[in-house]
Amino acid sequence: MGKLGRNVPASRRRDRVPPPKAGPPEAGPDAPHRSAARRLLSSLRPRSVATEVFLLQLAVVLLLIATAVVALVIQDRNRAIQEAGDRSLVAAESFANAPGTATAMKSDDPTAALQPHAEALRVKTGVDYVVALSPYGFRWTHPDPDQIGKHVSTSYGEALEGEPHQTTFDSSLGKAVDSTVAVFDAQGTAVGLVTVGVTVDKVTSVVEHQLPVILAAGGVALLLAAGGSALVSGRLRRQTGGLGPVEMTRMYEHHDAVLHAVREGVIILDGDGRLLLANDEARRLLALPPEVEGTAVTGLGLSPALAGLLGSGRAATDKVFLAGDTLLAVNVRPVGPKGGSVATLRDTTELRALAGRADLAGGRLRLIYEASTRIGTTLDVKRTAEELTEVAVPRFADFATIELLDPVLHGGEPTGTSMEMCRVAAAGIRDDAPLDPVGARMHYVPGNPVALLGLTTGRPVLVEHLATADAWRAQDPERTQRVVEYGIHSMISVPLQARGQLLGVVEFWRSEQDPFESDDLSPAEELVARAAVCIDNARRYTREHITAVTLQRSLLPGVFPELSALEVGHRYLPAQAGVGGDWYDVIPLPGARVALVVGDVVGHGLHAAATMGRLRTAVHNFAALDLPPDELLAHLDELITRIDRDATVEGNTESITGATCLYAVYDPVSGRCVLARAGHPGPALISPDGSVTFPDVPVSPPLGVGAGLPVETAELQLAADSRLVLYTDGLVEARGRDIDTGLGMLREALARADGATPDDTCRTVLDAMLRTRSSDDVALLVARTRLLDPEQVGEWEVPPDPAAVSRIRTEATRKLEAWGIGEAAFTTELILSELVTNAIRYGASPISLRLLRDRDSLICEVGDGTSTSPHLRRAAFTDEGGRGLFLVAQMSRRWGTRYTDRGKIIWAEQALGTGAAGDLSGLLMADL
């Protein structure tokens, strides 16, 4: 660049004015002037690229310095105005707040008192003036004594209100800032003003300190730019200065040798599509004749498609063309400003063959991988078989069918005694294939290759030509003939085996693809092997699921009896993964009361179902003892703890820790409902007016982890036609939804179900809460409350006097006759005489009697103030007493004791209707 970059004399440049035609170049009167002008222009033009870069850097540095100086000046001006304002405001507030300023302003001669101090402050602080004003704007002080006493017209109302007033204005000395503040006496009254002014020029400028630094930095930058340009110029001279004609010729020869030695064809075309250069490989691949340079590409004898691409000059990447028996991969790249192009050619015939085999192997690997991800997504036998056919068609076969043994479909173990199969899945590229449909029964004849080879040896069977396979056609000649005529020409049959047992058969069929070959047996066997494991898992799950569902359905309650206290609706939905441990129950209690219970055992499967049955049985047993809710849950907690401890001792890892329960007892006589819960969601309550609330019921730890902690109860007073809603957590909790959102949705669903029956309420709630199958099982119990008619209840207070028994009997008989059941009076008198007499003799006050008529039952309840429980015994023939409770038990349908906070209640329930008195007569005759 150093040599090439020098300017050619102006007389030899084409872009200059030509010299005169006659005489030497210097001749003529204007020759000295023209030479000087040329020398000046030559000196102003850049000598090299490095010089141009240096000039550009110089312009950039100067621009940055100018910008920095302007920005600094503007910034310094703004800072000076701000500092002048701050200085004037500080001086004004200092003078206004100085001790004695307010007193001096209120004196008889403020000027005499303030003028010396104002001037002293002005001199000390360097401000331009310090002026004290009266509240009405008359000057008391001023640097110019002639101005004292004159009125100031500037607005100072804002300052008198306590806010400093500041203005910026242009004075004769330049821009200035004025600050005005008010002076207040001890009572807060403005007694005067102080205004201080400062010119901006008095604030020290920083430009003069920073400008040398900026200029010095600019100079250093210029020096660095100059040094860099000098280095670049020297480098360019070293890179280009050593090459001469010989070296350039030798370089061309080397490049030409390389061009013709590479095993890739190279051709160069001009903008008109004419051939400029072709190396030896290009001549061989395209079979070009000698001396073809300059010929148009359309005249080279190439295929129209290849000639069109080369002549167009468009860019192309790996475009494949057939040239004779050779597959050419062509790449075209446009070059040059005149539209030329360079094309490269590669022989890809062998590469294409290898790539085809690699693609086939890769396709099979992708098929196997896809099968591992798409087959077995569910634990359903039929769906798993359908997934296998969906994967195989159309990538591996045109049609696919699957038959399974009958026991496999129902979760049983394949016995091998029968080869009867059922077609469970079929898929194809078309729906009109004459193959056996899904649901058809299949039985292979002994000569069939599927039965002869596949089912006996367990190896896949290939039938390359179905039209000539006589043994296969013997299975069903009519149908197989239609299959062949349809165009299905080959088949692979693979036994479906898992754990050494035959589960079924899979057939792959082809009609439009090439016939199956022996290489296709391996991927077919791999596909079926993966599916066999999934089908076997689904079969075993189906067996366990059927067992668990059967067990759970047998453990859950069936049809609830008709109750006077409640109208009940209930639902149970198993989880998507199978049955679980959610349960519910409605237990009739003595005195027309009813117990409602909902529980949940964590987990799914047989263990959860069995555990649920054990808990439900335990609750029934504890409820038979008429225990209150808190005591029942406490006993249940102890029971589960003992069961877990026994399981641990026996080495059984499966325990029932994590069970929850809510237990409620409703009394239709008083409308009182007592609830207790252990780790379970609280109930919802729908009032008769339709409002929905969630009563606050104290929660205890889940069953089995309570460690003996006390269980607290809550008492609700329910009006008639209220609906109490008990549920498990699967209703309100879901993946991606917290419990607060679920409770809000439940509240809205219950509000929409206002006035509906309990069964309709269950349906409305499940439709709103479970739009899709839940991942957890759900139990829901809705109970509509009723109250017994007061006419169905008779109550008496019994004095602790044996003589009162006769009167109580008479009043009770009168009540029975009013109810229209006078035929039960005799039995009732015997029962209440025995119970009341025992309460008077062995109990304590208060003693009470209550008769309840509930449907076909008559309940007699005698309460007293002791907790001593009577027990039934059989008296000997010689005993004079001890037969009372025995007679009560014989004359009653059932009897028992329940404890209250203030004692106990002995109750006996009679069956109303024909036959009750006759039974009693038979008992008396037997005793006689």
Side-chain angles (χ1 to χ4, degrees):
M1 287 296 292
K3 295 180 180 180
L4 298 176
R6 295 177 181 176
N7 292 339
V8 180
S11 60
R12 299 175 59 186
R13 293 178 61 94
R14 295 182 179 180
D15 54 349
R16 298 302 182 185
V17 179
K21 297 182 179 180
E26 297 78 13
D30 297 331
H33 300 285
R34 287 197 298 268
S35 299
R38 293 193 186 106
R39 286 194 298 271
L40 179 60
L41 292 175
S42 177
S43 62
L44 292 177
R45 293 180 61 84
R47 298 286 179 170
S48 63
V49 175
T51 305
E52 294 178 355
V53 173
F54 173 74
L55 294 177
L56 178 60
Q57 292 175 340
L58 175 62
V60 172
V61 171
L62 293 178
L63 179 60
L64 291 177
I65 292 174
T67 304
V69 171
V70 172
L72 182 61
V73 170
I74 294 174
Q75 181 182 5
D76 182 72
R77 189 65 173 175
N78 294 334
R79 183 200 59 80
I81 293 174
Q82 181 65 32
E83 185 175 345
D86 294 340
R87 182 182 298 181
S88 66
L89 182 59
V90 170
E93 289 181 344
S94 299
F95 190 82
N97 296 323
T101 300
T103 304
M105 288 184 174
K106 295 171 63 177
S107 64
D108 295 335
D109 190 2
T111 300
L114 297 175
Q115 178 70 9
H117 297 289
E119 287 302 301
L121 178 63
R122 182 180 65 82
V123 174
K124 185 176 182 180
T125 58
V127 299
D128 292 283
Y129 57 85
V130 177
V131 178
L133 304 174
S134 69
Y136 303 98
F138 293 94
R139 294 189 181 98
W140 284 333
T141 65
H142 197 277
D144 185 3
D146 295 336
Q147 300 296 326
I148 296 176
K150 294 184 177 181
H151 187 269
V152 178
S153 60
T154 305
S155 176
Y156 46 83
E158 182 180 356
L160 291 175
E161 293 177 359
E163 292 292 331
H165 180 71
Q166 197 170 62
T167 58
T168 302
F169 58 95
D170 294 323
S171 66
S172 58
L173 299 178
K175 188 174 289 292
V177 180
D178 180 276
S179 298
T180 303
V181 297
V183 180
F184 298 90
D185 59 6
Q187 290 75 26
T189 304
V191 297
L193 300 167
V194 176
T195 178
V196 177
V198 180
T199 56
V200 176
D201 294 336
K202 286 193 174 184
V203 180
T204 303
S205 176
V206 299
V207 175
E208 56 188 15
H209 300 292
Q210 297 183 1
L211 188 58
V213 177
I214 295 175
L215 295 177
V220 172
L222 288 175
L223 291 177
L224 292 176
S229 299
L231 291 175
V232 171
S233 179
R235 183 178 179 85
L236 292 175
R237 284 195 300 271
R238 287 193 301 272
Q239 290 178 346
T240 60
L243 287 179
V246 177
E247 289 80 4
M248 294 294 292
T249 302
R250 185 181 299 121
M251 180 180 295
Y252 171 78
E253 292 175 350
H254 291 169
H255 291 174
D256 186 67
V258 171
L259 179 64
H260 292 283
V262 295
R263 299 297 297 172
E264 186 169 298
V266 179
I267 59 176
I268 301 177
L269 305 170
D270 62 10
D272 298 329
R274 295 183 177 275
L275 183 63
L276 297 180
L277 183 144
N279 66 347
D280 295 341
E281 183 67 11
R283 294 175 183 272
R284 184 186 70 81
L285 294 176
L286 299 178
L288 297 178
E291 304 297 335
V292 295
E293 284 77 4
T295 306
V297 70
T298 55
L300 299 178
L302 306 178
S303 64
L306 178 58
L309 175 64
L310 296 177
S312 65
R314 297 190 308 270
T317 302
D318 289 339
K319 295 291 184 179
V320 179
F321 296 91
L322 182 63
D325 296 332
T326 305
L327 285 176
L328 298 179
V330 180
N331 294 273
V332 180
R333 290 294 180 270
V335 295
K338 297 184 179 180
S341 61
V342 176
T344 60
L345 313 172
R346 295 196 315 274
D347 185 355
T348 61
T349 305
E350 296 181 1
L351 181 61
R352 287 287 171 175
L354 293 175
R357 291 193 291 270
D359 289 342
L360 180 60
R364 291 175 176 174
L365 290 176
R366 288 191 297 270
L367 178 65
I368 300 300
Y369 173 77
E370 186 176 350
S372 65
T373 58
R374 292 180 55 185
I375 299 177
T377 58
T378 66
L379 290 174
D380 183 81
V381 174
K382 292 185 178 180
R383 179 56 191 156
T384 303
E386 291 171 355
E387 289 173 344
L388 172 58
T389 60
E390 292 170 359
V391 170
V393 177
R395 297 179 58 181
F396 181 71
D398 295 325
F399 301 92
T401 57
I402 300 178
E403 296 87 44
L404 296 178
L405 295 172
D406 285 339
V408 176
L409 293 175
H410 302 93
E413 291 284 346
T415 60
T417 58
S418 174
M419 298 305 295
E420 192 77 18
M421 297 186 186
C422 177
R423 179 156 291 179
V424 297
I429 57 176
R430 293 191 300 273
D431 298 332
D432 57 346
L435 299 172
D436 290 316
V438 174
R441 310 298 300 180
M442 308 293 294
H443 184 77
Y444 296 99
V445 298
N448 192 303
V450 176
L452 183 63
L453 298 176
L455 301 183
T456 56
T457 65
R459 302 297 300 171
V461 177
L462 169 64
V463 181
E464 297 185 19
H465 303 287
L466 294 176
T468 59
D470 296 335
W472 170 78
R473 300 185 66 176
Q475 174 74 28
D476 187 351
E478 183 179 353
R479 182 175 293 275
T480 54
Q481 181 63 29
R482 293 200 304 268
V483 169
V484 173
E485 292 176 353
Y486 183 79
I488 298 177
H489 48 71
S490 62
M491 179 265 288
I492 290 180
S493 175
V494 185
L496 193 66
Q497 292 180 322
R499 299 182 295 110
Q501 293 180 321
L502 180 67
L503 305 179
V505 178
V506 180
E507 291 105 355
F508 301 104
W509 314 80
R510 282 186 179 178
S511 60
E512 297 185 0
Q513 301 184 44
D514 295 335
F516 284 115
E517 300 176 352
S518 57
D519 292 341
D520 296 317
L521 291 175
S522 177
E525 192 174 10
E526 181 69 20
L527 275 177
V528 175
R530 291 178 180 271
V533 175
C534 298
I535 291 177
D536 187 56
N537 291 338
R539 177 194 63 81
R540 298 169 68 182
Y541 170 78
T542 301
R543 179 183 60 189
E544 181 179 349
H545 180 72
I546 293 175
T547 304
V549 169
T550 304
L551 174 63
Q552 187 182 45
R553 293 301 182 188
S554 65
L555 295 177
L556 286 174
V559 179
F560 292 130
E562 292 291 335
L563 301 172
S564 300
L566 297 171
E567 179 186 357
V568 179
H570 55 89
R571 289 289 189 279
Y572 173 77
L573 294 180
Q576 187 175 7
V579 297
D582 288 14
W583 57 283
Y584 58 89
D585 212 338
V586 178
I587 306 173
L589 298 177
R593 297 170 302 125
V594 179
L596 303 173
V597 57
V598 173
D600 183 8
V601 177
V602 177
H604 298 90
L606 285 174
H607 178 70
T611 301
M612 177 269 292
R614 299 171 71 180
L615 290 182
R616 181 168 176 259
T617 302
V619 170
H620 269 271
N621 293 333
F622 290 138
L625 300 177
D626 212 346
L627 297 178
D630 52 345
E631 294 185 19
L632 185 142
L633 291 183
H635 285 294
L636 201 62
D637 180 70
E638 294 176 1
L639 173 64
I640 293 179
T641 301
R642 184 168 62 254
I643 293 175
D644 285 345
R645 184 170 58 250
D646 295 342
T648 303
V649 172
E650 295 174 1
N652 185 4
T653 58
E654 300 224 14
S655 63
I656 56 177
T657 302
T660 65
C661 184
L662 188 151
Y663 188 82
V665 175
Y666 174 67
D667 187 355
V669 177
S670 62
R672 178 171 171 263
C673 183
V674 181
L675 306 95
R677 59 181 177 134
H680 200 83
L685 178 62
I686 309 176
S687 301
D689 60 0
S691 60
V692 180
T693 59
F694 293 93
D696 186 13
V697 180
V699 61
S700 302
L703 301 176
V705 297
L709 295 177
V711 180
E712 299 183 27
T713 61
E715 181 176 333
L716 304 178
Q717 191 67 34
L718 304 181
D721 203 33
S722 299
R723 279 171 291 172
L724 191 64
V725 182
L726 309 183
Y727 52 89
T728 55
D729 57 357
L731 181 68
V732 295
E733 291 184 357
R735 184 176 300 174
R737 183 183 71 191
D738 57 21
I739 188 171
D740 293 334
T741 303
L743 291 176
M745 295 173 60
L746 177 60
R747 183 192 300 272
E748 295 176 359
L750 294 176
R752 289 195 299 270
D754 180 29
T757 64
D759 196 68
D760 292 338
T761 302
C762 292
R763 186 181 303 108
T764 301
V765 169
L766 294 182
D767 290 344
M769 301 291 293
L770 304 177
R771 300 185 184 277
T772 58
R773 189 76 176 271
S774 175
S775 59
D776 193 7
D777 44 348
V778 176
L780 177 63
L781 186 64
V782 179
R784 186 196 296 273
T785 61
R786 300 190 184 112
L787 292 178
L788 289 184
D789 191 341
E791 294 297 327
Q792 296 179 259
V793 182
E795 295 183 283
W796 297 271
E797 294 291 334
V798 180
D801 183 4
V805 176
S806 175
R807 179 181 59 83
I808 294 299
R809 262 199 319 264
T810 302
E811 294 181 2
T813 301
R814 190 179 300 115
K815 190 69 174 177
L816 295 180
E817 292 176 352
W819 286 342
I821 53 174
E823 68 276 5
F826 180 71
T827 306
T828 305
E829 288 180 0
L830 291 178
I831 292 175
L832 67 88
S833 295
E834 177 63 28
L835 296 182
V836 172
T837 301
N838 285 344
I840 294 174
R841 181 178 299 174
Y842 304 110
S845 297
I847 302 174
S848 62
L849 169 65
R850 186 170 74 167
L851 292 178
L852 300 176
R853 183 183 178 183
D854 180 24
R855 294 181 181 269
D856 62 345
S857 300
L858 178 63
I859 305 168
C860 177
E861 298 180 346
V862 177
D864 66 85
T866 64
S867 58
T868 303
S869 176
H871 63 279
L872 180 68
R873 69 183 181 89
R874 292 182 178 272
F877 289 104
T878 59
D879 292 343
E880 296 182 0
R883 296 179 176 84
L885 286 180
F886 176 76
L887 292 175
V888 171
Q890 293 298 319
M891 292 183 290
S892 305
R893 175 189 293 170
R894 54 179 182 163
W895 74 280
T897 305
R898 73 172 181 268
Y899 296 93
T900 64
D901 296 337
R902 294 178 293 179
K904 68 177 181 298
I905 294 175
I906 309 297
W907 57 271
E909 180 179 332
Q910 304 174 59
L912 297 177
T914 59
D919 294 341
L920 177 59
S921 301
L923 175 63
L924 294 177
M925 292 300 294
D927 289 340
L928 293 176

